[in-house]
Structures are given as C-alpha cells and as structure tokens.
Amino acid sequence: MPAFTKQVGPAVVEEQTLAMVREMLVELGSKHAVEKVTPGASFDRDLGLGSLERVELLVRSEARFGVQLPDDVAQEAETVGEWIDAILGSGGPVETKERYRIVPPARLAPPEPVAATTLVEALRAHAEVEPDRIHIHLPEDDRGQDITYRELLDRASAVAAGLVAAGLGREQTVAIMLPTCADFFYAFFGVMLAGGIAVPIYPPARPDKIEEYVRRQVLILRNAEIRFLITFDRVKAVSQLMRAQLPSLIEVTNVAALSRPGAPFKAVEPADLGFIQYTSGSTGDPKGVMLTHANILANVRGIGQAVKVRPDDVVVTWLPLYHDMGLIGSWLFALYHAAPITVLSPLAFLSRPERWLWAMHDAGGTLCPAPNFSYELCARKIPDRALEGLNLSSWRVAINAGEAVLPDTIARFSKRFAKYGFRAESMLPCYGLAESSVALAFPPIDRRPRIDTIRREAYEQYGRAEPATPGETNVMRFVSAGSPLPQHEARLVDEQGHEAGERRQGKLLFRGLSRTSGYYRNPAATAAAMTPDGWMDSGDLAYWADGELFITGRLKDCIIKSGRNIIPQEVEAAASEVPGVRRGCVAAFGVTDPATGTERIVVVAETRAVAAEELRRIEADVVRGVEAVIGIPPDKVALVRPQTVPKTSSGKIRRAETKALFVAGKLEGRQRAPWVQITSLWLENAGSWLGRAAQRARERAAETWIAALLSLASLAGGVALQVLPLRWGGRVLHWSARWFLFATGQEVEVAGLEKLEADRPAVLVANHPGRLDALILAAALPETFLLSDSGALASLRLLEPLVVEPLTGNQAPPGGTQKQRIQRGLAAGHSVVVFPEGPRGEPAWRCRFRLDGFHAALETGAPVHPVAIRRANVTVGEAIQPEPENRREVIRLREAVREALGRLAQQKADA
C-alpha cells in the first residue's frame, strides 16, 4: 500500500470519498441519491453521475488526497468502490512531473505538394523531401512518441504488405477500430497503400452500452462489407461478438500481426476512395459518405486557403480520429501542409480539459479545430489553479465547428482566456459536413465572430431574418459561418426549389470539389440527396446576409407549431438552464397531433431527481423556461433518468432516435447490466456461429478434396515429365491438368491458338493472376512449353521439370543467366513462358517483367506472344515480332506486351 494511504488508512479514504460524493450530489440538487451512496453504488444507475460529473469528482479527489489518479478512471470506474480502489492504488502523492517536451521543427514547413493527386503521393513527397521531419507528437505515452514522415511511410508499408499477403483485394474495405495511438496512423495509410478502402469506426467505450454499440457497428460494417477488422487486444471479445454477424469478414487482426517486410504494388488514383466516413447518426440505414483522394485533397487545400496557412503553423487536436473533423480537418490537413501536429486522445481532454490548452501552450499551437461544447467545457469547468502560467498567445485560429455554435459560448471562452493571451479575433466559427469531406464555409480570419440578432416572430412564422433593433427582447441570435471555400458553391432554396432571397430561410444545397459522389452501397439515400445538376442537399436550413451564411438548424429537426418553425436547440438550451436538469442531456422534437394537424412540442430531459415533488417543480420550471425563450410552452415534458437520451459517438443528441423511443413508450427502459447484454448477444449469435462453422466445415472439405485432386494431377504430370521424353511427358501433363479442372468444375476455354506458328518456338509472356497458372496453361496449350524460372510453381513443385535447364560447363555465371536459359529452351524447340515478378493478381499494366525474355527473343528472332489468363480461360494474342536494328527494342517489346495484356484482360472482363 502506498505510504500516503498508510498515514490515513483505507477506512479513512473510503469515508472521505463517500462524503465527497454526497457533497457533490447535494450541490447538484440530487439529495434523494445521497442515501444510495455506498461503495457498491453505480455512478450511472444509482447516482446519476455521468462522465462530466466524474471529471469534477476527479479534480476534487486529487485535491483532497494529494494524488494523481489515472486518466481513465473518470470514464471507466463503474462504482464508488472502484473509485476508492483507484485512489488507494494511485501510487502516492502528486509529484512534480515535467510535461512531455515538444521540440519544434528546425526548419519551416516545405512547400505544399501541389503536384500530389492522392494522399499517398502527398505522404511520399514529404518522406522524400524531409524524411526525418517530425509529423506527429503523441504526448500521452510515458515518454511521449514522435512519428516522422519516413516512419509513417515505412510502418504503413509494412501493414500494407501484410494486408496484401492476407488476401486484401483492390478497393475492398478494412475497418479500423482503434483508439488514438500510433497504430491508427499506420493502419490508415497501410490500407491505402494496399489498395483498400479504410472505414474508421469508434472503439467501444462503456461496458454498460455494449449491446447498443455492437448492434450499431454491425449495421455499419455489414453495409461496408468489410474484409478485415484492425483492432487492439482490449476489445478482442467485442470484436469476436461482431465477427459472428459479418459474413464478409476474413480476419480480425492488429497492426503488429499484419506488419511484415515487403512493399505493396497497388496503384492509387485520385478517383479512388480514400476512406468511407459513416455519419455519426447511422442507425438502421447506414450512410457511409464516399470520399475520394481528390475530394480530401481539395478540402485540405481549401481549408489552407481559408486559414491562410503558414509554414510555421502548428496543429493541436484532441478530436477522435474516426470523425471527419479529427481525421481530415486536423490530421490530414496537417500531413498535407507539413505542419507538426500534437494529438491528444478524447479521453485525455474529457478527463482533464486543461490538457488541451496546455498542449497548445507546449506546442506553440496556432491552429486547432474543436466543437462548441469543448470551448464551453473549458470556460466553465477548469479550475484557475490548473491554468497558472498558461500562454495561449500563439493560437491564431480556433475553429469552432461540428455542431451549433452558440454566441454565449464564444463570449464566455474569449472573456475567460483573454488573460492567458487568447485573442477574441482568433475564434473562427465555420460550417461543414461529412458530405463535403469536412469543411464547406469559412468566415474571414482575424476578425471577431459576426453575430446576427433577428426578430423571432418574423423568422419563425415567415422565414424572414429581419435584423432586430437595439432593445428588442423577443429575438434570436445566429453566428456567421462565412462563405464557401474556393471552388465550392452554396445556394438556398425554398420549398418549391426556387432561390431564397437575402435574409430568407432556405434549404442549403452545395457542390464543389470536396463533395462526395454519394453514400456507399446506398443508392436510395444518394438519389434522395442529389439533384440532376450536381447539387447536394445538406439537410440544413440557413439564410444569407451580406454574402455570409448563417446556419439555423437541421431541416429534419425543425418543429412546426401553429405555423411557426421552432428550432430545437433553443428549446434544449432553455430547458438545460433549469436547476435539476442535466446540461447537454435534453432532446426537443415535434410529434404530430392528428387532431389539430400541428406538432406537439416534446422535451425529454435527464434528471437525477426521483422525489415526486421535486420532479413536479423541475417540469414546471422547464415549461416556464421554454415559454420565456420561444414564447410557446412545450406540450409535454418527459423527465428521465441519466444516460437515457441517446447520443452519437461525438456527443450529439440523437433527436430522431429519442423521438422514436418516446413514441414507442421505451424511453424508461432500464439499462441492462453489461454481463446480461453480452450474454444476450452471444445467444443471438449462436445461430450465426453454427452456420459459419458448418460453412467452414464445407469449405475445408472442398479444399481437402481439391487439394487431393491437385496432388493426383501434379503427381501424374510430374512423374510423366521425369520418366518420359519432354514432349510425351507434356502430353500426359496436358490431359491430367484438363482432368483436374473438369473434376473441380472449371471449364477450360482457349482462344487464339491459331496465332501460334507450328514448329516455331516463341516467348509467351503471361500475366499471373493465381497459383495454378502453370497448370492452367498446361491444360490450355496443346504443345509442351517450358517455364523461364520456378517462381510460378509455389504449389506445383512436382512440375519442376518444366523449368528450362541451366547451362553447364564454363558458362558464367554458373548455371547461366536467365536469358541464356531461355535461349537454350528456344533452341531445343520449345516455347518458353515468362511470368512477371512480384505478387500474383496484379493488373496487366502494373506487371513487372524482367528483360531477359525479351533479350532472348531479340537475339534468337523468336516471336513474342502476350497470353492473358483469367480463371481457366486463356487468350493468346497476336505475335509481336522483334526488330533487331532498334537499339531500344527490348523496352519497346516489354511495353507492347503490357499494352496487349491490358487489352486482352479488358476484353475478357467485358465478355
């Protein structure tokens, strides 16, 4: 036991902790819960203390006991007893610990890679220009971790090699379920380098929400048809629960298991998907936003212009990497512009919000995007003692986006942190959405946020944003999001699709280089959002004023009451101010009343109160508070226990889901214990597991049968090649290969045999799609051939006699060069097959051929024939005759063969 706890004893620590929890509950207005405070009491179910309240408890615990508690205790401790154990096991009093030192780069950032057309090219450009430049700082490890551009490329290449070796095909999807850590960065680019499509998803955070998590993620991953899931050991059990419901999934793995030497050979094009961003509200109809490399690069370039990126800029973020603002708006923006980026985990921020600000201080941060609630949390929750010595004067652009930007939050944050060097002009409210990669509109930098005060009645009844006069009280306030990024457009239309005029509410449509082409495997959602002329519906409402956009809310969330358009955020904000209501845990929505033809305003608010009298008081106060703000009282106030209102992974209220639960009468359904949820999922999956086990058994039986047939065919052909003359052994191999393909249900189809001249050996240059290519050629070609080397016989070693014999005697090097071997085979009267180097399955235009075969053809005058293999189909192309007088003939032959193979492969694919 640590020395400091021995001084007071475990009993005293327990007693004081229980007293401290009771004090907090009294302050929060939850006097009823005080009686439930015991070591076994659940923070969520019994006491109603959510994650933010536990942050406050962490601060108080450290101050009272003089200890440093683990960061994850605020999020992971389920009971008061677990909290007490964390204090007793904390290791002693707080020691002055020097923060991880972030060393600034020795040189300014190099020019942006304007020639890059993909993210892979951008990474490679920086890795070539300045490979040892530190790109990422991860300060949360014991000693911190830095990642250079060279290391990122090398480690990602190792992951890519592992994925390719494990069977990942081009444009297949790979889910990345990792927390903020180095492995995320390696995995993300590893998938790209392997030619795959990354699908970032958030890892499970709360044991008591495991059932909801699994069901939601399974829907997403089924839609994505993922082939691999890259995860980490702590969530292995959850991964296995999901695996049973994902028929497309080949393997659950991790970065360490995938990493291996070797480089992938997958080409990446600007039009290829960089990754799929599933919207945070994805439920029964998952909407995966498809983003190409061209989309993402256009967006990070546009953001760079909007913030006037500088070569000395430094980025700091705590945003989750599975979310577009953390992934594109923070990391990929920094990667492209070669700005060093300090990356904290969301847990580090939520448990100690001051860490974000100290990271800005330590790194000399100049750029940082974050949602409105984080600025509010810092303004309200961080104690002054945690900010002593803080300097935020380098912070030149504080992007506020991702959710509704509130004028009061801007004012509170700017006022509180002005004495720490924060300039009010640094706050930059802007607007974006996943369908536009991340960003769409920015206001000018270096000005204070523009706040528009308008008359409530005119806006709610007629959709007119009329400026209010000084002194008016019945008003609404909105913050300008500026104007669209370069090469992007926005327009506002009314219900009839006509242009909305100045200061008139309209539906926001947009288009531009960052715009997605649609939703992955969801044509109905894509068609619903797109117009024939390329505009996409954002789902948001807004108005123009003096050339700037003012976003007013989501169209689907708007409540229509007595002809007025009520914005739910205003209702929720008013209800949150009522004592006893959990701030940020309120959902407002409309429910159609068939009797009146209008909507009833429903407010669902979380509270810790249970006493009838206290609940009546809170309900009455919510009614009065909402009426005071919008002029109409809510029709129904539903007070529910903590953790009832559904939220997205990024903390946004799920209004539609809350409404569905309310209508179905399921809001008060009590959360089941984690073990009950897990057991339920295991039982539900039993059928899937049995089905998968039966399928695997059938597949294994089929594989065993095929392997046995292959062994027989190879044995017959191999023995014949060993004991008979080559031509006769080749005939035996020809028929045994055809028998094998027939027995395994494959029909041999051959085209172009007439192009091979009788009794004239040729160099046959083939693609290499599979491991049985040599056997397929043996079945397809009537004449015996030789192979230029044994590389194509990985699983057919009994056919070694087909490989051209090495030269003997005084030839140099010993055994002869490959060119000499091919010449020997041609001189013996046999055609020689040349396969490309590298992994099987490469497209024809990417095949890498050694020049030996072309040299041999040139020196012997043998024709060169391209041969395209696709499954059990073989097509022989027209002969390409060497031109000995051409000094660059060898290169011409190789390129002509590549082009011909590409044409033949395309013809096969189109057939």
Side-chain angles (χ1 to χ4, degrees):
M1 184 184 300
F4 83 102
T5 56
K6 288 182 180 179
Q7 297 173 7
V8 296
V12 174
V13 171
E14 177 178 319
E15 180 184 348
Q16 292 188 10
T17 302
L18 295 175
M20 186 166 47
V21 174
R22 293 187 184 102
E23 290 170 7
M24 277 193 61
L25 290 169
V26 171
E27 292 173 14
L28 292 168
S30 302
K31 297 178 182 179
H32 64 281
V34 170
E35 298 176 358
K36 299 180 181 179
V37 177
T38 65
S42 165
F43 282 119
D44 284 334
R45 294 190 300 273
D46 300 324
L47 307 181
L49 295 177
S51 57
L52 293 182
E53 289 86 5
R54 280 179 268 179
V55 170
E56 176 66 24
L57 182 60
L58 182 144
V59 173
R60 295 188 185 193
S61 299
E62 292 184 341
R64 177 167 297 191
F65 297 110
V67 297
Q68 184 80 28
L69 292 177
D71 288 344
D72 56 4
V73 68
Q75 306 299 318
E76 296 186 0
E78 292 295 317
T79 65
V80 178
E82 291 176 12
W83 195 278
I84 294 168
D85 291 341
I87 295 173
L88 293 171
S90 60
V94 177
E95 298 178 358
T96 302
K97 182 180 178 183
E98 184 179 352
R99 289 191 303 275
Y100 161 67
R101 184 168 178 264
I102 298 174
V103 180
R107 292 187 294 274
L108 297 177
E112 63 179 274
V114 292
T117 60
T118 67
L119 291 167
V120 169
E121 289 179 10
L123 172 58
R124 284 179 171 152
H126 288 311
E128 290 173 3
V129 171
E130 199 171 342
D132 295 323
R133 183 181 180 85
I134 293 176
H135 167 42
I136 299 169
H137 299 284
L138 293 168
E140 291 177 55
D141 292 344
D142 290 340
R143 294 181 298 276
Q145 182 176 0
D146 295 333
I147 302 174
T148 65
Y149 282 100
R150 185 207 309 269
E151 183 179 5
L152 176 57
L153 181 57
D154 289 348
R155 296 291 296 273
S157 297
V159 172
L163 286 169
V164 170
L168 178 69
R170 183 172 174 78
E171 296 185 347
Q172 291 184 336
T173 51
V174 179
I176 302 175
M177 187 175 75
L178 291 169
T180 298
C181 62
D183 280 357
F184 182 95
F185 305 106
Y186 305 147
F188 186 83
F189 264 101
V191 174
M192 284 187 181
L193 289 166
I197 304 169
V199 181
I201 63 172
Y202 66 96
R206 295 176 57 91
D208 60 331
K209 300 283 187 179
I210 195 67
E211 188 173 7
E212 175 189 344
Y213 174 85
V214 169
R215 295 188 191 285
R216 187 175 298 278
Q217 298 311 309
V218 163
L219 288 173
I220 289 173
L221 299 181
R222 276 182 186 165
N223 176 256
E225 290 189 324
I226 63 159
R227 305 294 285 162
F228 291 86
L229 172 60
I230 302 177
T231 184
F232 58 114
D233 288 342
R234 285 186 60 188
V235 295
K236 187 179 295 183
V238 177
S239 302
Q240 295 303 326
L241 278 172
M242 294 193 295
R243 181 174 190 169
Q245 303 179 58
L246 300 171
S248 63
L249 182 61
I250 295 175
E251 186 178 353
V252 176
T253 184
N254 57 52
V255 165
L258 284 171
S259 299
R260 64 185 60 198
F265 303 96
K266 302 294 184 181
V268 180
E269 301 294 332
D272 290 345
L273 291 183
F275 72 98
I276 302 172
Q277 173 71 61
Y278 278 85
T279 56
S280 56
S282 296
T283 51
D285 185 28
K287 293 169 67 176
V289 179
M290 299 186 291
L291 296 176
T292 66
H293 287 263
N295 294 148
I296 300 165
L297 285 178
N299 210 245
V300 298
R301 285 166 175 154
I303 296 172
Q305 294 179 58
V307 301
K308 297 181 179 178
V309 66
R310 304 188 315 207
D312 61 345
D313 271 327
V314 174
V315 181
V316 175
T317 184
W318 57 266
L319 295 169
L321 294 167
Y322 52 77
H323 191 269
D324 53 7
M325 197 154 69
L327 183 57
I328 304 175
S330 300
W331 174 38
L332 295 179
F333 168 86
L335 179 138
Y336 176 80
H337 292 285
I341 179 170
T342 297
V343 184
L344 304 174
S345 74
L347 176 61
F349 167 71
L350 290 173
S351 59
R352 304 178 195 274
E354 65 272 15
R355 282 193 168 174
W356 172 35
L357 305 182
W358 278 109
M360 294 294 296
H361 170 105
D362 293 341
T366 61
L367 303 174
C368 184
N372 190 83
F373 90 87
S374 58
Y375 293 101
E376 182 72 28
L377 188 61
C378 290
R380 288 179 178 268
K381 293 293 185 181
I382 302 176
D384 288 339
R385 66 177 181 275
L387 300 173
E388 294 176 5
L390 181 69
N391 184 352
L392 300 177
S393 60
S394 63
W395 199 350
R396 70 179 190 87
V397 178
I399 293 175
N400 188 337
E403 61 184 13
V405 180
L406 304 181
D408 289 342
T409 298
I410 292 174
R412 274 191 287 269
F413 185 89
S414 298
K415 180 179 180 181
R416 181 173 187 197
F417 292 99
K419 64 181 179 181
Y420 300 103
F422 183 80
R423 299 180 308 116
E425 293 80 7
S426 296
M427 183 66 71
L428 194 73
C430 46
Y431 169 73
L433 64 166
E435 286 80 354
S436 182
S437 295
V438 62
L440 179 60
F442 273 75
I445 64 171
D446 294 323
R447 79 166 194 193
R448 295 198 174 205
R450 178 184 171 188
I451 297 172
D452 195 33
T453 305
I454 63 174
R455 292 174 175 148
R456 176 181 298 279
E457 184 177 357
Y459 186 79
E460 290 183 345
Q461 292 192 5
Y462 309 109
R464 297 197 305 264
E466 297 178 358
T469 57
E472 282 193 65
T473 56
N474 192 22
V475 298
M476 307 172 74
R477 294 192 300 160
F478 295 105
V479 182
S480 169
S483 55
L485 294 173
Q487 299 181 301
H488 293 74
E489 300 175 86
R491 62 191 290 237
L492 301 179
V493 298
D494 60 21
E495 294 179 357
Q496 289 73 42
H498 302 136
E499 293 284 342
E502 178 80 354
R503 289 192 170 274
R504 296 300 300 256
Q505 174 185 275
K507 183 168 58 174
L508 175 60
L509 309 181
F510 73 96
R511 65 185 178 187
L513 297 181
S514 303
R515 195 215 69 191
T516 178
S517 60
Y519 300 105
Y520 191 69
R521 297 183 63 241
N522 195 333
T526 300
M530 296 288 191
T531 66
D533 51 352
W535 294 93
M536 187 168 197
D537 187 352
S538 69
D540 288 318
L541 296 171
Y543 64 87
W544 289 109
D546 302 323
E548 297 191 22
L549 274 172
F550 290 82
I551 310 298
T552 59
R554 298 288 293 170
L555 176 61
K556 67 178 182 179
D557 292 336
C558 187
I559 305 169
I560 302 175
K561 174 74 172 179
S562 303
R564 294 176 55 184
N565 294 319
I566 308 297
I567 297 174
Q569 289 89 341
E570 281 203 306
V571 177
E572 291 161 0
S576 292
E577 295 297 328
V578 172
V581 171
R582 300 187 70 214
R583 181 180 295 274
C585 300
V586 180
F589 49 85
V591 176
T592 302
D593 185 346
T596 62
T598 188
E599 290 192 323
R600 301 169 64 230
I601 301 176
V602 178
V603 178
V604 177
E606 292 184 7
T607 179
R608 301 175 188 83
V610 292
E613 184 178 349
E614 189 175 4
L615 290 172
R616 283 194 295 270
R617 190 271 305 167
I618 293 173
E619 182 177 346
D621 286 351
V622 168
V623 171
R624 284 191 291 269
V626 171
E627 184 176 17
V629 171
I630 68 171
I632 301 177
D635 298 282
K636 171 67 176 177
V637 176
L639 300 179
V640 297
R641 62 182 179 80
Q643 311 300 325
T644 297
V645 175
K647 294 184 179 181
T648 69
S649 60
S650 53
K652 299 177 186 176
I653 297 295
R654 285 194 171 105
R655 297 186 186 89
E657 190 172 339
T658 309
K659 177 179 176 178
L661 292 171
F662 173 82
V663 172
K666 296 181 178 179
L667 266 178
E668 291 297 338
R670 190 166 183 81
Q671 189 72 52
R672 295 187 293 177
W675 71 269
V676 176
Q677 298 180 48
I678 293 173
T679 302
S680 174
L681 289 169
W682 279 103
L683 292 174
E684 285 182 21
N685 293 333
S688 298
W689 284 318
L690 290 173
R692 286 170 66 90
Q695 178 64 26
R696 285 196 296 269
R698 289 192 295 269
E699 290 172 355
R700 283 195 294 269
E703 289 171 0
T704 302
W705 172 246
I706 291 172
L709 294 177
L710 180 60
S711 297
L712 285 174
S714 299
L715 180 63
V719 170
L721 290 170
Q722 290 280 2
V723 302
L724 298 176
L726 185 60
R727 289 189 182 278
W728 290 105
R731 298 303 297 166
V732 174
L733 174 62
H734 172 78
W735 290 109
S736 62
R738 281 185 166 253
W739 170 79
F740 164 75
L741 293 172
F742 174 79
T744 55
Q746 302 179 72
E747 183 178 353
V748 182
E749 294 183 9
V750 191
L753 281 179
E754 71 280 359
K755 297 169 185 175
L756 297 175
E757 299 181 43
D759 300 323
R760 187 182 182 189
V763 175
L764 308 179
V765 184
N767 61 325
H768 193 15
R771 63 190 182 93
L772 301 180
D773 295 336
L775 199 68
I776 290 170
L777 284 179
L781 302 179
E783 296 297 326
T784 304
F785 59 86
L786 296 176
L787 299 172
S788 63
D789 62 59
S790 59
L793 297 178
S795 59
L796 302 168
R797 287 299 173 187
L798 290 172
L799 306 185
E800 284 281 359
L802 279 181
V803 180
V804 290
E805 298 178 4
L807 295 175
T808 58
N810 296 323
Q811 302 288 345
T817 64
Q818 190 176 83
K819 180 186 75 171
Q820 292 170 321
R821 300 180 205 181
I822 296 173
Q823 288 174 331
R824 180 181 177 90
L826 294 171
H830 300 290
S831 293
V832 179
V833 175
V834 176
F835 284 106
E837 292 186 318
R840 297 185 296 266
E842 285 299 308
W845 65 274
R846 289 284 294 173
C847 288
R848 301 192 304 165
F849 292 98
R850 290 179 58 171
L851 296 176
D852 301 82
F854 303 105
H855 274 297
L858 185 63
E859 294 182 9
T860 61
V864 178
H865 287 271
V867 178
I869 305 171
R870 182 180 172 86
R871 300 187 182 93
N873 301 340
V874 175
T875 303
V876 180
E878 295 285 352
I880 303 173
Q881 294 294 339
E883 300 174 6
E885 69 279 2
N886 188 342
R887 296 178 60 185
R888 291 184 54 82
E889 179 60 7
V890 172
I891 303 298
R892 186 194 73 83
L893 278 174
R894 182 175 65 182
E895 297 310 311
V897 166
R898 278 180 174 163
E899 184 179 344
L901 281 173
R903 289 196 304 269
L904 293 175
Q906 188 60 48
Q907 291 169 8
K908 282 290 182 185
D910 295 340

